[in-house]
Coordinates of all heavy atoms in Angstrom, one line a residue:
T1 N 110.9 -7.1 4.1 CA 111.8 -6.0 4.0 C 113.2 -6.2 4.7 O 114.0 -5.3 4.7 CB 111.2 -4.7 4.6 OG1 110.9 -4.9 6.0 CG2 109.9 -4.3 3.9
V2 N 113.4 -7.4 5.2 CA 114.7 -7.7 5.8 C 115.8 -7.6 4.7 O 115.7 -8.3 3.7 CB 114.7 -9.1 6.5 CG1 116.1 -9.4 7.0 CG2 113.7 -9.2 7.5
P3 N 116.8 -6.9 4.9 CA 117.9 -6.7 3.8 C 118.4 -8.1 3.4 O 118.6 -9.0 4.2 CB 118.9 -5.8 4.5 CG 118.1 -5.0 5.5 CD 117.1 -5.9 6.0
A4 N 118.8 -8.2 2.2 CA 119.2 -9.5 1.6 C 120.4 -10.1 2.3 O 120.5 -11.4 2.3 CB 119.6 -9.2 0.1
V5 N 121.3 -9.3 2.8 CA 122.5 -9.8 3.4 C 122.4 -10.1 4.9 O 123.4 -10.5 5.5 CB 123.7 -8.9 3.1 CG1 123.9 -8.9 1.6 CG2 123.5 -7.5 3.7
Y6 N 121.3 -9.8 5.5 CA 121.1 -9.9 7.0 C 120.9 -11.4 7.3 O 120.2 -12.2 6.6 CB 120.0 -9.1 7.5 CG 120.2 -7.7 7.6 CD1 121.3 -7.0 7.0 CD2 119.4 -6.9 8.5 CE1 121.5 -5.7 7.1 CE2 119.6 -5.5 8.6 CZ 120.7 -4.9 7.9 OH 120.9 -3.6 8.0
A7 N 121.5 -11.8 8.5 CA 121.3 -13.2 9.0 C 119.8 -13.4 9.3 O 119.4 -14.6 9.2 CB 122.1 -13.4 10.3
E8 N 119.1 -12.4 9.6 CA 117.6 -12.5 9.9 C 116.9 -13.1 8.7 O 115.9 -13.8 8.9 CB 117.0 -11.1 10.3 CG 115.6 -11.2 10.7 CD 115.0 -9.8 11.0 OE1 115.8 -8.8 10.9 OE2 113.8 -9.7 11.4
K9 N 117.4 -12.7 7.5 CA 116.8 -13.3 6.3 C 116.9 -14.8 6.2 O 116.0 -15.5 5.8 CB 117.3 -12.6 5.0 CG 116.7 -13.1 3.7 CD 115.3 -12.7 3.6 CE 115.0 -11.3 3.2 NZ 113.6 -11.1 2.9
E10 N 118.1 -15.3 6.7 CA 118.3 -16.7 6.6 C 117.4 -17.4 7.7 O 117.0 -18.5 7.5 CB 119.8 -17.0 6.9 CG 120.7 -16.4 5.8 CD 122.2 -17.0 6.0 OE1 122.3 -18.1 6.4 OE2 123.1 -16.2 5.6
R11 N 117.3 -16.7 8.8 CA 116.4 -17.3 9.8 C 114.9 -17.4 9.3 O 114.3 -18.4 9.6 CB 116.4 -16.5 11.1 CG 117.8 -16.4 11.8 CD 117.8 -16.0 13.2 NE 117.3 -14.6 13.3 CZ 118.2 -13.5 13.3 NH1 119.5 -13.7 13.2 NH2 117.7 -12.3 13.5
F12 N 114.5 -16.4 8.6 CA 113.2 -16.4 8.0 C 113.1 -17.6 6.9 O 112.1 -18.2 6.8 CB 112.8 -15.1 7.3 CG 112.1 -14.2 8.3 CD1 112.6 -13.0 8.6 CD2 110.8 -14.5 8.7 CE1 112.0 -12.1 9.5 CE2 110.1 -13.7 9.6 CZ 110.7 -12.4 10.0
A13 N 114.2 -17.8 6.2 CA 114.2 -18.9 5.3 C 114.0 -20.3 6.0 O 113.2 -21.1 5.5 CB 115.6 -18.9 4.5
T14 N 114.7 -20.5 7.1 CA 114.5 -21.7 7.8 C 113.0 -21.8 8.3 O 112.4 -22.9 8.2 CB 115.4 -21.8 9.0 OG1 116.8 -21.6 8.5 CG2 115.4 -23.2 9.7
Q15 N 112.5 -20.7 8.9 CA 111.2 -20.8 9.3 C 110.1 -21.0 8.2 O 109.1 -21.7 8.4 CB 110.8 -19.4 10.1 CG 111.6 -19.2 11.3 CD 111.6 -17.7 11.8 OE1 110.6 -17.0 11.4 NE2 112.6 -17.3 12.5
T16 N 110.4 -20.4 7.1 CA 109.6 -20.7 5.9 C 109.6 -22.1 5.5 O 108.5 -22.7 5.2 CB 110.1 -19.8 4.7 OG1 109.9 -18.4 5.1 CG2 109.2 -20.0 3.5
G17 N 110.7 -22.8 5.5 CA 110.8 -24.2 5.3 C 109.9 -25.0 6.2 O 109.3 -26.0 5.8
R18 N 110.0 -24.7 7.5 CA 109.2 -25.4 8.5 C 107.7 -25.2 8.2 O 106.9 -26.1 8.3 CB 109.6 -24.9 9.9 CG 111.0 -25.3 10.3 CD 111.1 -24.8 11.8 NE 112.5 -24.8 12.2 CZ 113.2 -23.7 12.8 NH1 112.5 -22.6 13.0 NH2 114.4 -23.8 13.1
R19 N 107.4 -23.9 8.0 CA 105.9 -23.6 7.9 C 105.3 -24.2 6.7 O 104.1 -24.6 6.7 CB 105.8 -22.1 7.9 CG 104.3 -21.6 7.8 CD 103.5 -22.1 9.0 NE 102.1 -21.7 8.9 CZ 101.1 -22.4 9.4 NH1 101.3 -23.5 10.1 NH2 99.9 -22.0 9.2
I20 N 106.0 -24.4 5.6 CA 105.3 -25.0 4.4 C 104.9 -26.4 4.7 O 103.8 -26.8 4.2 CB 106.2 -24.9 3.2 CG1 105.4 -25.4 1.9 CG2 107.5 -25.7 3.3 CD1 104.2 -24.6 1.6
V21 N 105.6 -27.2 5.5 CA 105.2 -28.5 5.8 C 103.9 -28.5 6.6 O 103.0 -29.3 6.3 CB 106.4 -29.2 6.6 CG1 105.9 -30.6 7.0 CG2 107.6 -29.3 5.8
E22 N 103.8 -27.5 7.5 CA 102.5 -27.4 8.3 C 101.4 -27.0 7.4 O 100.3 -27.5 7.5 CB 102.8 -26.4 9.4 CG 103.8 -26.8 10.4 CD 104.2 -25.6 11.4 OE1 103.7 -24.5 11.1 OE2 104.9 -25.9 12.3
L23 N 101.7 -26.1 6.5 CA 100.6 -25.7 5.5 C 100.1 -26.9 4.7 O 98.9 -27.0 4.4 CB 101.1 -24.5 4.6 CG 101.2 -23.2 5.3 CD1 102.0 -22.2 4.3 CD2 99.9 -22.6 5.7
V24 N 101.0 -27.7 4.2 CA 100.7 -28.9 3.4 C 99.7 -29.8 4.3 O 98.7 -30.3 3.9 CB 101.9 -29.6 3.0 CG1 101.5 -31.0 2.4 CG2 102.6 -28.8 1.8
K25 N 100.1 -30.0 5.5 CA 99.3 -30.9 6.4 C 98.0 -30.3 6.7 O 97.0 -31.0 6.9 CB 100.1 -31.2 7.7 CG 101.3 -32.1 7.4 CD 102.1 -32.3 8.7 CE 103.3 -33.2 8.4 NZ 104.1 -33.4 9.7
E26 N 97.9 -28.9 6.8 CA 96.7 -28.2 7.0 C 95.8 -28.1 5.8 O 94.6 -27.8 5.9 CB 97.0 -26.9 7.6 CG 97.7 -26.9 9.0 CD 98.2 -25.5 9.4 OE1 98.0 -24.5 8.6 OE2 98.9 -25.4 10.4
G27 N 96.4 -28.3 4.6 CA 95.7 -28.2 3.4 C 95.3 -26.7 3.0 O 94.4 -26.5 2.2
V28 N 96.1 -25.7 3.4 CA 95.9 -24.4 3.1 C 96.5 -24.0 1.8 O 97.8 -24.0 1.7 CB 96.4 -23.4 4.2 CG1 96.1 -22.0 3.9 CG2 95.7 -23.8 5.6
K29 N 95.7 -23.6 0.8 CA 96.2 -23.3 -0.5 C 96.1 -21.8 -0.8 O 95.4 -21.1 -0.1 CB 95.4 -24.0 -1.6 CG 95.6 -25.6 -1.5 CD 94.7 -26.3 -2.5 CE 94.7 -27.8 -2.3 NZ 93.9 -28.5 -3.3

């Protein structure tokens, strides 16, 4: 629900990029 134009949305984007690498290594589908 973070508004599209908020900087918080960009921070979540970076965190999402980090987390997917961890999910791949963990094998969570």
